[in-house]
Amino acid sequence: MLQNRKDTLQKIGIDVYHHRKKDSEKNLNVDQPDVWEVLEKNVSSCQQCSLHESRTQTVFGVGDINADWLFIGEAPGKDEDIKGEPFVGRAGRLLNEIIFASGLSRESVFIANILKCRPPNNRDPKQEEVESCFVYLKKQIELINPKIIIAVGKIAAQQLLDTDQTMADLRGSIHSFGENNIPLVVIYHPAYLLRSPTQKSKVWSDILLAQDSIN
Ligand code: SF4
């Protein structure tokens, strides 16, 4: 397993310097699946912002609702809008490899976005759209109660941390989210890594930082 992970890391261009022990303790806190289902249903019929007019479907999120690790991106793109699932396509496959290299699987984490509907032509989310949609993500975070949040990319990081700081300022540190001070680490978006593969090693060091923060 460890060798597989090492092979995967090397395949995606990350040199392995160090491996940290994974905390496999489960966080069985979602004892109200009905609340989760109601939330998902509300999102699927939501018309709180104009993005409902152009979406194919909402993208609620995928994974284990008892996950320790919660990955949050910006918004669905074209492939996600068609499939109804976050992080599919090339960038999604690279995120899967990063998750696997962290000793986890796509099924054992939860993956969501700030926005549940695709902005036309993949433009950046507008502030009013984020303000309309953020209530859903906040409820998801409350129900999942993860040990660590990974903000995937600049837009997600800026929205979650309510800042306009750059990625250079945001990555490489442990931040905290919400009243429960959930540790939050920022990583580069896999779409950016596909364009700038030399930055992949920084993602690995940020993942190690995230592992440290919960061990
Ligand atoms: S983006 Fe969010 S707030 Fe806007 S319509 Fe979709 S689910 Fe509702």
Side-chain angles (χ1 to χ4, degrees):
M1 182 71 170
L2 187 59
Q3 187 57 42
N4 286 348
R5 195 178 313 148
K6 199 172 167 185
D7 291 346
T8 303
L9 280 165
Q10 283 167 347
K11 203 169 78 184
I12 63 175
I14 296 174
D15 291 325
V16 182
Y17 300 107
H18 193 49
H19 173 70
R20 301 279 183 183
K21 194 176 78 178
K22 166 187 141 185
D23 182 355
S24 58
E25 207 182 292
K26 290 301 290 175
N27 192 19
L28 297 171
N29 58 323
V30 180
D31 54 2
Q32 296 173 293
D34 51 327
V35 175
W36 186 267
E37 282 164 22
V38 169
L39 183 65
E40 189 165 7
K41 207 171 162 195
N42 287 349
V43 167
S44 70
S45 59
C46 178
Q47 300 188 354
Q48 290 295 316
C49 79
S50 61
L51 293 181
H52 80 275
E53 293 165 9
S54 53
R55 74 186 177 211
T56 303
Q57 59 192 312
T58 55
V59 179
F60 185 65
V62 69
D64 183 354
I65 60 174
N66 292 309
D68 288 342
W69 290 62
L70 174 57
F71 289 77
I72 301 175
E74 170 187 336
K78 187 180 172 196
D79 293 336
E80 289 79 12
D81 174 69
I82 291 168
K83 201 163 177 204
E85 202 176 308
F87 285 99
V88 294
R90 283 183 73 211
R93 283 195 292 281
L94 181 52
L95 181 67
N96 291 349
E97 288 174 355
I98 292 166
I99 291 170
F100 182 67
S102 313
L104 305 161
S105 66
R106 188 170 168 97
E107 295 73 33
S108 70
V109 303
F110 199 86
I111 307 172
N113 281 312
I114 301 278
L115 291 187
K116 308 305 186 197
C117 301
R118 181 196 180 202
N121 302 315
N122 295 349
R123 62 157 169 75
D124 286 350
K126 292 180 180 170
Q127 199 52 39
E128 64 264 27
E129 294 161 353
V130 173
E131 282 165 16
S132 298
C133 209
F134 205 58
V135 62
Y136 298 129
L137 180 64
K138 269 181 85 177
K139 193 66 186 173
Q140 286 180 306
I141 295 171
E142 183 193 318
L143 291 169
I144 296 169
N145 191 22
K147 288 187 177 174
I148 180 84
I149 293 173
I150 306 295
V152 183
K154 182 181 79 171
I155 302 284
Q158 290 179 333
Q159 294 294 346
L160 288 164
L161 296 171
D162 192 21
T163 179
D164 57 4
Q165 285 182 288
T166 64
M167 278 298 278
D169 293 329
L170 292 169
R171 58 156 301 276
S173 306
I174 300 170
H175 306 270
S176 73
F177 177 83
E179 292 169 6
N180 293 334
N181 294 318
I182 300 169
L184 185 153
V185 168
V186 178
I187 64 169
Y188 284 124
H189 196 286
Y192 169 72
L193 295 176
L194 289 171
R195 296 192 301 274
S196 306
T198 56
Q199 301 294 328
K200 286 177 181 172
S201 60
K202 291 182 180 165
V203 172
W204 183 236
S205 69
D206 291 331
I207 291 292
L208 290 176
L209 185 67
Q211 288 177 333
D212 272 348
S213 77
I214 60 173
N215 285 338

